[in-house]
Amino acid sequence: MDFFHYKNGKLFCEDKGIAEIAELIGTPFYIYSHATLTHHYRVFSDAFKDKAKIICYAAKANSNIAILRVLASLGAGADIVSGGELFRSLEAGIPASKIVYSGVGKTPTEIEYALQADILMFNVESLQELDAINTIAGSMGKVARVAMRVNPDVDPQTHPKISTGLKENKFGVDIKEAPAYYQRAQQLDNVEIVGISCHIGSQLTKIAPFVDALKRIKALMEKLEGWGIDIKYLDLGGGLGITYKDEEPPSPASYAREILSVIDSSKTTLIFEPGRVLVGNAGVLVTRVLYTKENHGKKFVVVDAGMNDLIRPSFYESYHKIQPVYVGTGKTVVADVVGPICETGDYLARQREIADVQQGDLLAVMSSGAYGFTMSSNYNSRGRAAEVLVAGKKAHLIRKREKYQDLIKLERIPKQIV
Ligand SMILES: *Cc1c(COP(=O)(O)O)cnc(C)c1O
Protein backbone atom coordinates (compact mmCIF):
# COMPACT_ATOMS: atom_id res chain seq x y z
CA MET A 1 0.00 0.00 0.00
CA ASP A 2 1.32 3.41 -0.90
CA PHE A 3 0.30 6.87 -2.05
CA PHE A 4 2.33 6.98 -5.26
CA HIS A 5 -0.06 7.01 -8.18
CA TYR A 6 -0.61 8.34 -11.70
CA LYS A 7 -2.89 11.25 -12.44
CA ASN A 8 -3.32 12.28 -16.10
CA GLY A 9 -0.28 10.24 -17.03
CA LYS A 10 1.96 11.84 -14.40
CA LEU A 11 3.37 10.21 -11.28
CA PHE A 12 2.31 11.82 -8.03
CA CYS A 13 3.38 11.40 -4.44
CA GLU A 14 0.10 12.07 -2.63
CA ASP A 15 -1.11 15.34 -4.19
CA LYS A 16 2.27 16.52 -5.39
CA GLY A 17 3.54 15.97 -8.92
CA ILE A 18 6.98 14.38 -8.80
CA ALA A 19 8.24 16.10 -11.98
CA GLU A 20 7.53 19.46 -10.39
CA ILE A 21 9.93 18.68 -7.55
CA ALA A 22 12.59 17.48 -9.99
CA GLU A 23 12.40 20.81 -11.83
CA LEU A 24 12.80 22.66 -8.58
CA ILE A 25 15.64 20.76 -6.88
CA GLY A 26 17.21 18.63 -9.62
CA THR A 27 17.89 14.89 -9.49
CA PRO A 28 18.50 12.41 -8.00
CA PHE A 29 16.41 12.71 -4.86
CA TYR A 30 14.48 10.52 -2.47
CA ILE A 31 10.84 11.37 -1.95
CA TYR A 32 8.84 10.02 0.98
CA SER A 33 5.09 9.97 1.49
CA HIS A 34 3.92 11.04 4.92
CA ALA A 35 0.53 9.35 4.44
CA THR A 36 2.16 6.04 3.47
CA LEU A 37 4.50 6.11 6.43
CA THR A 38 1.67 6.95 8.80
CA HIS A 39 -0.53 4.26 7.29
CA HIS A 40 2.10 1.55 7.74
CA TYR A 41 2.82 2.56 11.31
CA ARG A 42 -0.89 2.50 12.19
CA VAL A 43 -1.46 -0.88 10.54
CA PHE A 44 1.42 -2.34 12.53
CA SER A 45 0.35 -0.71 15.77
CA ASP A 46 -3.32 -1.64 15.32
CA ALA A 47 -2.33 -5.27 14.77
CA PHE A 48 -1.32 -5.30 18.45
CA LYS A 49 -4.11 -3.05 19.64
CA ASP A 50 -4.78 -3.22 23.38
CA LYS A 51 -1.55 -5.18 23.98
CA ALA A 52 1.26 -3.80 26.08
CA LYS A 53 3.85 -3.01 23.43
CA ILE A 54 6.53 -0.64 22.28
CA ILE A 55 7.19 -0.26 18.57
CA CYS A 56 10.87 0.54 18.35
CA TYR A 57 11.37 1.61 14.75
CA ALA A 58 14.69 0.29 13.41
CA ALA A 59 16.36 3.61 12.70
CA LYS A 60 18.91 2.16 10.33
CA ALA A 61 16.23 1.64 7.67
CA ASN A 62 15.83 5.40 7.28
CA SER A 63 17.26 7.71 9.89
CA ASN A 64 16.43 11.15 8.54
CA ILE A 65 15.38 13.14 11.60
CA ALA A 66 12.15 14.27 9.92
CA ILE A 67 11.15 10.63 9.37
CA LEU A 68 12.08 9.86 12.98
CA ARG A 69 10.00 12.81 14.12
CA VAL A 70 6.93 11.64 12.22
CA LEU A 71 7.24 8.20 13.80
CA ALA A 72 7.87 9.71 17.24
CA SER A 73 4.67 11.73 16.91
CA LEU A 74 2.79 8.48 16.22
CA GLY A 75 4.18 6.98 19.42
CA ALA A 76 7.17 5.06 18.10
CA GLY A 77 10.36 4.36 19.97
CA ALA A 78 13.61 3.39 18.25
CA ASP A 79 15.87 0.42 17.84
CA ILE A 80 19.34 1.84 17.41
CA VAL A 81 22.63 0.24 16.44
CA SER A 82 25.06 3.11 17.06
CA GLY A 83 25.67 6.26 19.05
CA GLY A 84 24.89 8.21 15.90
CA GLU A 85 21.43 6.70 15.72
CA LEU A 86 20.90 7.46 19.40
CA PHE A 87 21.83 11.07 18.74
CA ARG A 88 19.44 11.30 15.79
CA SER A 89 16.62 9.63 17.72
CA LEU A 90 16.95 12.00 20.66
CA GLU A 91 17.22 15.02 18.32
CA ALA A 92 14.00 13.89 16.66
CA GLY A 93 12.18 13.69 19.97
CA ILE A 94 12.00 9.95 20.50
CA PRO A 95 11.88 9.41 24.27
CA ALA A 96 14.91 7.57 25.67
CA SER A 97 12.47 5.40 27.59
CA LYS A 98 11.44 3.86 24.25
CA ILE A 99 14.92 3.27 22.85
CA VAL A 100 16.56 -0.16 22.68
CA TYR A 101 20.14 -0.58 21.62
CA SER A 102 21.18 -3.57 19.47
CA GLY A 103 24.44 -4.43 17.71
CA VAL A 104 27.48 -6.65 18.22
CA GLY A 105 30.06 -3.88 18.49
CA LYS A 106 28.94 -1.20 20.93
CA THR A 107 31.97 0.88 21.92
CA PRO A 108 32.64 2.09 25.48
CA THR A 109 31.85 5.66 24.38
CA GLU A 110 28.53 4.56 22.90
CA ILE A 111 27.62 2.56 26.01
CA GLU A 112 28.37 5.55 28.20
CA TYR A 113 26.28 7.83 25.96
CA ALA A 114 23.34 5.42 26.09
CA LEU A 115 23.58 5.13 29.88
CA GLN A 116 23.74 8.90 30.21
CA ALA A 117 20.62 9.19 28.05
CA ASP A 118 18.97 6.48 30.18
CA ILE A 119 17.66 4.32 27.32
CA LEU A 120 15.16 1.55 27.95
CA MET A 121 17.58 -1.34 27.47
CA PHE A 122 20.68 -2.79 25.85
CA ASN A 123 20.26 -5.89 23.71
CA VAL A 124 23.51 -7.58 24.71
CA GLU A 125 25.24 -9.74 22.14
CA SER A 126 28.23 -11.23 24.00
CA LEU A 127 29.57 -11.99 27.45
CA GLN A 128 32.34 -9.44 27.05
CA GLU A 129 29.81 -6.79 26.11
CA LEU A 130 27.79 -7.67 29.22
CA ASP A 131 30.91 -7.18 31.36
CA ALA A 132 31.76 -3.92 29.60
CA ILE A 133 28.27 -2.55 30.22
CA ASN A 134 28.45 -3.61 33.87
CA THR A 135 31.82 -1.93 34.36
CA ILE A 136 30.86 1.30 32.62
CA ALA A 137 27.52 1.52 34.44
CA GLY A 138 29.36 0.95 37.73
CA SER A 139 31.81 3.76 37.04
CA MET A 140 28.87 6.07 36.36
CA GLY A 141 26.94 4.99 39.44
CA LYS A 142 24.17 3.61 37.25
CA VAL A 143 22.42 0.32 36.68
CA ALA A 144 22.01 -0.73 33.05
CA ARG A 145 18.83 -2.49 31.94
CA VAL A 146 19.73 -5.40 29.71
CA ALA A 147 18.21 -8.12 27.57
CA MET A 148 20.29 -10.87 26.04
CA ARG A 149 19.94 -10.97 22.28
CA VAL A 150 19.42 -14.63 21.66
CA ASN A 151 20.17 -16.39 18.43
CA PRO A 152 17.44 -19.03 18.09
CA ASP A 153 19.09 -20.78 15.11
CA VAL A 154 16.20 -20.67 12.70
CA ASP A 155 16.50 -20.17 8.97
CA PRO A 156 14.58 -17.03 8.05
CA GLN A 157 14.52 -18.13 4.39
CA THR A 158 15.68 -14.78 3.11
CA HIS A 159 18.78 -13.44 1.31
CA PRO A 160 21.98 -14.71 3.05
CA LYS A 161 23.25 -11.13 3.53
CA ILE A 162 20.21 -10.29 5.65
CA SER A 163 19.93 -13.51 7.69
CA THR A 164 20.93 -12.95 11.28
CA GLY A 165 19.38 -15.76 13.30
CA LEU A 166 21.39 -18.77 12.14
CA LYS A 167 23.96 -20.20 14.49
CA GLU A 168 26.80 -19.33 12.10
CA ASN A 169 25.81 -15.63 12.09
CA LYS A 170 27.71 -13.10 14.20
CA PHE A 171 24.57 -11.82 15.90
CA GLY A 172 23.31 -12.61 19.37
CA VAL A 173 24.29 -15.40 21.71
CA ASP A 174 23.59 -19.05 21.10
CA ILE A 175 20.25 -19.95 22.61
CA LYS A 176 21.85 -22.96 24.31
CA GLU A 177 24.34 -20.73 26.09
CA ALA A 178 21.84 -18.03 26.94
CA PRO A 179 20.86 -19.47 30.36
CA ALA A 180 24.49 -19.30 31.47
CA TYR A 181 24.66 -15.69 30.31
CA TYR A 182 21.60 -14.82 32.34
CA GLN A 183 23.13 -16.45 35.38
CA ARG A 184 26.24 -14.39 34.85
CA ALA A 185 24.17 -11.22 34.49
CA GLN A 186 22.38 -12.02 37.76
CA GLN A 187 25.71 -11.89 39.57
CA LEU A 188 26.61 -8.44 38.26
CA ASP A 189 25.87 -5.43 40.45
CA ASN A 190 25.37 -2.83 37.76
CA VAL A 191 23.05 -4.57 35.34
CA GLU A 192 19.40 -5.38 35.75
CA ILE A 193 17.95 -8.12 33.57
CA VAL A 194 14.72 -6.89 32.04
CA GLY A 195 14.24 -8.86 28.86
CA ILE A 196 15.03 -11.23 26.05
CA SER A 197 15.51 -10.08 22.50
CA CYS A 198 15.87 -11.71 19.14
CA HIS A 199 15.99 -10.61 15.51
CA ILE A 200 16.39 -13.30 12.91
CA GLY A 201 16.71 -11.42 9.64
CA SER A 202 15.16 -9.02 7.24
CA GLN A 203 12.67 -9.14 4.36
CA LEU A 204 11.01 -12.30 5.72
CA THR A 205 8.09 -13.34 3.56
CA LYS A 206 7.00 -16.35 5.59
CA ILE A 207 5.57 -16.48 9.06
CA ALA A 208 6.94 -19.87 10.12
CA PRO A 209 10.48 -18.67 10.97
CA PHE A 210 9.05 -15.99 13.29
CA VAL A 211 6.90 -18.58 15.04
CA ASP A 212 9.73 -21.13 15.31
CA ALA A 213 11.99 -18.49 16.82
CA LEU A 214 9.31 -17.38 19.24
CA LYS A 215 8.64 -20.92 20.45
CA ARG A 216 12.31 -21.37 21.26
CA ILE A 217 12.45 -18.01 23.00
CA LYS A 218 9.35 -18.85 24.97
CA ALA A 219 10.93 -22.05 26.27
CA LEU A 220 13.96 -20.04 27.38
CA MET A 221 11.74 -17.46 29.01
CA GLU A 222 9.90 -20.10 31.02
CA LYS A 223 13.19 -21.56 32.18
CA LEU A 224 14.44 -18.16 33.31
CA GLU A 225 11.20 -17.38 35.08
CA GLY A 226 11.58 -20.71 36.86
CA TRP A 227 14.82 -19.28 38.23
CA GLY A 228 13.03 -16.18 39.42
CA ILE A 229 14.24 -13.96 36.60
CA ASP A 230 11.46 -11.59 35.63
CA ILE A 231 11.25 -10.96 31.88
CA LYS A 232 9.47 -7.62 31.57
CA TYR A 233 10.19 -7.13 27.89
CA LEU A 234 10.08 -9.63 25.09
CA ASP A 235 11.71 -8.04 22.06
CA LEU A 236 10.86 -9.92 18.88
CA GLY A 237 12.96 -7.80 16.53
CA GLY A 238 11.96 -6.70 13.06
CA GLY A 239 12.16 -8.43 9.73
CA LEU A 240 8.67 -8.38 8.27
CA GLY A 241 9.04 -8.24 4.49
CA ILE A 242 7.40 -5.98 1.92
CA THR A 243 6.39 -6.33 -1.72
CA TYR A 244 9.12 -5.19 -4.07
CA LYS A 245 8.04 -7.32 -7.01
CA ASP A 246 5.58 -10.14 -6.39
CA GLU A 247 6.38 -11.23 -2.84
CA GLU A 248 3.40 -11.86 -0.60
CA PRO A 249 4.67 -11.19 2.89
CA PRO A 250 2.39 -11.81 5.86
CA SER A 251 0.34 -8.77 6.84
CA PRO A 252 1.07 -7.24 10.24
CA ALA A 253 -2.37 -8.50 11.29
CA SER A 254 -1.61 -12.14 10.51
CA TYR A 255 1.88 -11.77 11.97
CA ALA A 256 0.27 -10.46 15.16
CA ARG A 257 -2.31 -13.26 15.23
CA GLU A 258 0.42 -15.93 15.04
CA ILE A 259 2.60 -14.26 17.63
CA LEU A 260 -0.25 -13.77 20.05
CA SER A 261 -1.28 -17.40 19.65
CA VAL A 262 2.10 -18.47 21.02
CA ILE A 263 2.75 -15.92 23.70
CA ASP A 264 0.60 -14.73 26.58
CA SER A 265 1.09 -11.01 26.19
CA SER A 266 -0.57 -10.13 29.46
CA LYS A 267 2.61 -10.77 31.44
CA THR A 268 5.29 -9.08 29.37
CA THR A 269 5.49 -5.97 27.28
CA LEU A 270 6.16 -6.89 23.68
CA ILE A 271 8.76 -4.92 21.78
CA PHE A 272 8.96 -4.88 18.00
CA GLU A 273 11.71 -3.45 15.84
CA PRO A 274 10.14 -2.99 12.41
CA GLY A 275 12.15 -1.05 9.86
CA ARG A 276 11.51 -1.96 6.25
CA VAL A 277 7.79 -2.66 6.69
CA LEU A 278 7.23 0.91 7.92
CA VAL A 279 9.32 2.91 5.47
CA GLY A 280 10.15 0.67 2.49
CA ASN A 281 7.16 1.45 0.33
CA ALA A 282 6.91 5.01 1.62
CA GLY A 283 9.90 6.16 -0.45
CA VAL A 284 10.96 6.43 -4.06
CA LEU A 285 14.27 7.40 -5.66
CA VAL A 286 13.78 9.81 -8.55
CA THR A 287 16.44 9.91 -11.24
CA ARG A 288 16.87 11.41 -14.71
CA VAL A 289 17.95 9.60 -17.85
CA LEU A 290 21.31 11.02 -18.95
CA TYR A 291 21.86 8.89 -22.02
CA THR A 292 20.59 5.81 -23.75
CA LYS A 293 22.98 3.57 -25.64
CA GLU A 294 23.42 0.18 -27.15
CA ASN A 295 26.46 -2.14 -26.91
CA HIS A 296 26.37 -5.28 -29.04
CA GLY A 297 22.62 -5.08 -29.30
CA LYS A 298 22.23 -4.69 -25.55
CA LYS A 299 20.39 -1.58 -24.42
CA PHE A 300 21.50 0.61 -21.55
CA VAL A 301 19.68 3.44 -19.88
CA VAL A 302 22.26 5.56 -18.08
CA VAL A 303 20.69 7.51 -15.22
CA ASP A 304 22.03 10.08 -12.77
CA ALA A 305 21.50 7.86 -9.67
CA GLY A 306 24.09 5.20 -8.98
CA MET A 307 24.98 2.49 -6.53
CA ASN A 308 26.26 5.20 -4.20
CA ASP A 309 22.64 6.40 -3.96
CA LEU A 310 20.92 2.99 -3.85
CA ILE A 311 23.18 0.02 -3.28
CA ARG A 312 20.50 -2.64 -2.81
CA PRO A 313 20.39 -3.97 -6.38
CA SER A 314 24.13 -4.58 -6.56
CA PHE A 315 24.61 -5.60 -2.91
CA TYR A 316 21.59 -7.86 -2.41
CA GLU A 317 20.51 -8.48 -6.01
CA SER A 318 17.34 -6.68 -4.98
CA TYR A 319 14.52 -5.91 -7.32
CA HIS A 320 13.03 -2.43 -7.41
CA LYS A 321 10.24 -1.58 -9.83
CA ILE A 322 11.23 1.22 -12.16
CA GLN A 323 8.41 3.42 -13.38
CA PRO A 324 8.34 6.42 -15.68
CA VAL A 325 7.37 9.74 -14.10
CA TYR A 326 5.48 10.54 -17.34
CA VAL A 327 3.61 7.56 -18.74
CA GLY A 328 4.49 8.43 -22.36
CA THR A 329 3.61 6.16 -25.27
CA GLY A 330 3.28 2.96 -23.27
CA LYS A 331 5.98 1.38 -25.45
CA THR A 332 8.57 -0.67 -23.57
CA VAL A 333 12.16 -1.84 -24.07
CA VAL A 334 14.37 -4.37 -22.31
CA ALA A 335 17.40 -2.62 -20.92
CA ASP A 336 19.91 -2.41 -18.09
CA VAL A 337 19.35 0.69 -16.00
CA VAL A 338 22.82 1.77 -14.90
CA GLY A 339 24.38 4.60 -12.94
CA PRO A 340 27.42 6.79 -13.60
CA ILE A 341 29.75 5.00 -11.15
CA CYS A 342 32.89 3.35 -12.46
CA GLU A 343 31.89 -0.18 -11.40
CA THR A 344 30.30 -2.91 -13.47
CA GLY A 345 28.13 -3.63 -10.43
CA ASP A 346 26.61 -0.17 -10.67
CA TYR A 347 23.10 -0.91 -11.83
CA LEU A 348 19.56 -0.38 -10.63
CA ALA A 349 18.04 -3.06 -12.84
CA ARG A 350 19.25 -5.63 -15.32
CA GLN A 351 17.54 -6.95 -18.42
CA ARG A 352 14.40 -5.20 -17.34
CA GLU A 353 11.36 -4.38 -19.37
CA ILE A 354 10.82 -0.68 -18.72
CA ALA A 355 9.12 2.23 -20.40
CA ASP A 356 10.90 3.26 -23.58
CA VAL A 357 12.40 6.36 -21.99
CA GLN A 358 14.44 8.98 -23.81
CA GLN A 359 17.28 11.23 -22.77
CA GLY A 360 16.04 13.71 -20.17
CA ASP A 361 13.11 11.61 -18.95
CA LEU A 362 12.52 10.95 -15.28
CA LEU A 363 12.33 7.50 -13.68
CA ALA A 364 11.07 6.51 -10.26
CA VAL A 365 12.83 3.65 -8.49
CA MET A 366 10.03 2.36 -6.31
CA SER A 367 10.12 0.97 -2.75
CA SER A 368 13.37 2.74 -1.90
CA GLY A 369 12.36 4.19 1.46
CA ALA A 370 14.22 1.57 3.51
CA TYR A 371 17.97 0.97 3.28
CA GLY A 372 18.14 3.48 0.45
CA PHE A 373 19.49 6.81 1.59
CA THR A 374 20.95 5.34 4.80
CA MET A 375 23.21 3.02 2.80
CA SER A 376 24.26 5.73 0.38
CA SER A 377 27.82 7.00 0.18
CA ASN A 378 30.07 9.54 -1.47
CA TYR A 379 31.79 6.95 -3.66
CA ASN A 380 33.20 8.54 -6.82
CA SER A 381 32.95 11.84 -4.90
CA ARG A 382 29.29 12.13 -5.60
CA GLY A 383 27.31 14.28 -3.21
CA ARG A 384 24.54 12.37 -1.54
CA ALA A 385 21.02 12.91 -2.85
CA ALA A 386 18.45 15.34 -1.49
CA GLU A 387 15.48 14.01 0.49
CA VAL A 388 11.92 15.33 0.30
CA LEU A 389 8.93 14.56 2.50
CA VAL A 390 5.50 15.09 0.96
CA ALA A 391 2.32 15.50 2.97
CA GLY A 392 -0.74 16.12 0.83
CA LYS A 393 0.03 18.98 -1.55
CA LYS A 394 3.10 20.11 0.36
CA ALA A 395 6.67 19.05 -0.28
CA HIS A 396 9.34 19.67 2.37
CA LEU A 397 13.06 19.47 1.73
CA ILE A 398 14.27 17.33 4.66
CA ARG A 399 17.87 17.00 3.52
CA LYS A 400 19.74 19.23 1.13
CA ARG A 401 21.71 17.76 -1.70
CA GLU A 402 25.40 17.64 -0.78
CA LYS A 403 27.60 20.15 -2.60
CA TYR A 404 31.25 19.89 -3.61
CA GLN A 405 32.29 21.82 -0.49
CA ASP A 406 30.47 19.28 1.67
CA LEU A 407 32.63 16.52 0.20
CA ILE A 408 35.86 17.98 1.58
CA LYS A 409 34.71 19.87 4.63
CA LEU A 410 36.29 17.44 7.09
CA GLU A 411 39.51 17.00 5.13
CA ARG A 412 42.82 18.82 5.69
CA ILE A 413 46.00 19.04 3.63
CA PRO A 414 48.85 18.93 6.19
CA LYS A 415 51.19 21.93 5.87
CA GLN A 416 54.31 19.74 6.21
CA ILE A 417 53.81 17.85 3.00
CA VAL A 418 53.29 20.69 0.57
C1 LIG B 1 17.95 -4.28 10.90
C2 LIG B 1 17.35 -4.62 12.18
C3 LIG B 1 15.98 -4.50 12.38
C4 LIG B 1 15.02 -4.07 11.31
O1 LIG B 1 14.85 -5.01 10.31
P1 LIG B 1 13.71 -4.80 9.21
O2 LIG B 1 13.87 -5.98 8.32
O3 LIG B 1 14.01 -3.54 8.50
O4 LIG B 1 12.41 -4.77 9.90
C5 LIG B 1 15.47 -4.77 13.63
N1 LIG B 1 16.28 -5.18 14.64
C6 LIG B 1 17.61 -5.31 14.49
C7 LIG B 1 18.44 -5.72 15.63
C8 LIG B 1 18.20 -5.05 13.25
O5 LIG B 1 19.52 -5.21 13.10
Side-chain angles (χ1 to χ4, degrees), residues 58 60-61 79 81 102-103 125 149 171 199 201-203 237-240 273-277 371:
K60 74 178 190 287
D79 168 46
V81 293
S102 306
E125 307 217 14
R149 173 163 173 190
F171 297 100
H199 170 74
S202 200
Q203 184 54 12
L240 208 52
E273 303 171 349
R276 190 188 311 271
V277 72
Y371 308 105

Side-chain angles (χ1 to χ4, degrees), residues 49-115:
K49 215 183 175 93
D50 307 326
K51 305 290 173 197
K53 61 170 183 302
I54 309 174
I55 299 174
C56 294
Y57 165 63
K60 74 178 190 287
N62 186 325
S63 55
N64 185 293
I65 54 175
I67 299 291
L68 295 175
R69 170 65 62 91
V70 171
L71 290 165
S73 73
L74 295 168
D79 168 46
I80 57 161
V81 293
S82 71
E85 286 186 354
L86 176 54
F87 176 73
R88 285 174 174 280
S89 300
L90 296 173
E91 282 289 304
I94 294 177
S97 61
K98 292 184 186 174
I99 294 178
V100 299
Y101 191 171
S102 306
V104 292
K106 304 174 187 81
T107 66
T109 313
E110 289 175 319
I111 293 169
E112 194 180 320
Y113 178 30
L115 283 166

Side-chain angles (χ1 to χ4, degrees), residues 5 49 137 303 307 353:
H5 58 99
K49 215 183 175 93
V303 297
M307 65 188 286
E353 183 172 1

Side-chain angles (χ1 to χ4, degrees), residues 149-160 162-169 171 173-176 198-202 204 206-218 236 238:
R149 173 163 173 190
V150 169
N151 184 333
D153 190 26
V154 297
D155 183 356
Q157 300 166 39
T158 182
H159 191 280
I162 46 180
S163 294
T164 56
L166 283 166
K167 60 176 181 290
E168 65 263 31
N169 294 134
F171 297 100
V173 303
D174 192 323
I175 191 154
K176 291 196 210 72
C198 111
H199 170 74
I200 57 174
S202 200
L204 271 68
K206 300 205 172 65
I207 240 167
F210 287 115
V211 175
D212 291 349
L214 178 56
K215 284 181 177 157
R216 293 180 189 194
I217 299 284
K218 188 185 172 192
L236 298 176

